[in-house]
Amino acid sequence: MPRLDPATTALLTVECQNGVVGDESALPELAKEARDSGTLGRVAALVDAAHAAGVQVLHAVAERRPDGRGANTNARLFRAAGKLPVRQLTGSRAVEVAAPIEVAADDLVLRRLHGLSPMAGTDLDPLLRNLGIRTLVVTGVSSNIAIPNTVFDAVNLGYQVVVPSDAITGVPASYTAEVIRNSLALVAAITTTEALTTQWALPR
């Protein structure tokens, strides 16, 4: 993996929110995998390393209005989400970034009401361009849907994408490795949390 310039690199956490990966998740199987595998802790470590290195950090959160206005209904996933006991309602604890991830004052939190990807459902793309970002490091959940969508959208928009393979997860656990090997590795640079944190700790 080439050296990443902190000035033109951003770290994105995807759906690392209480209602998805927290103790009261709407998706307990995914939340358990994110925590038990160490994925959430590694995302937090990457966020800390990015803060220390001057890498811009962004957190993408999926949420719904209480009335559901503007939310997708054109797929089984969206319809099921509206019936879950834990809903990702705007302003609720469910849409806060989950511990142990630290949100710094300079971080940007992007909230989306629709779609499968923060790149398509928020102002992520223009914000990255305004910040002069050319490389996007994608972390979080899930490798089933949101992560591949984010990676493909970013590549289509011209960004270089880096995926730390141990800082994304989905269910079942074995599926993540297959997605990385057969899809993400074809379009993104695959690395590890250790490689990135080590690089960002080096003197500039």
Side-chain angles (χ1 to χ4, degrees), residues 81-99:
K83 299 175 183 177
L84 291 171
V86 177
R87 301 176 67 200
Q88 317 297 325
L89 297 181
T90 301
S92 71
R93 184 177 179 277
V95 298
E96 295 175 0
V97 176

Side-chain angles (χ1 to χ4, degrees), residues 103-198:
V103 180
D106 289 340
D107 292 2
L108 297 173
V109 179
L110 305 169
R111 306 186 181 279
R112 81 176 194 272
L113 292 172
H114 68 92
L116 298 170
S117 161
M119 191 63 76
T122 70
D123 290 330
L124 178 57
D125 180 36
L127 289 174
L128 292 175
R129 294 187 189 281
N130 289 346
L131 291 163
I133 301 300
R134 295 195 292 271
T135 301
L136 186 64
V137 180
V138 178
T139 67
V141 298
S142 73
S143 55
N144 303 77
I145 295 174
I147 296 297
N149 270 270
T150 303
V151 170
F152 296 147
D153 285 347
V155 170
N156 283 332
L157 289 167
Y159 294 96
Q160 299 291 325
V161 179
V162 176
V163 177
S165 60
D166 55 353
I168 66 169
T169 197
V171 289
S174 59
Y175 183 69
T176 300
E178 294 301 318
V179 169
I180 292 170
R181 181 182 305 111
N182 296 306
S183 296
L184 302 186
L186 303 179
V187 296
I190 307 301
T191 187
T192 64
T193 296
E194 183 179 10
L196 277 175
T197 55
T198 298

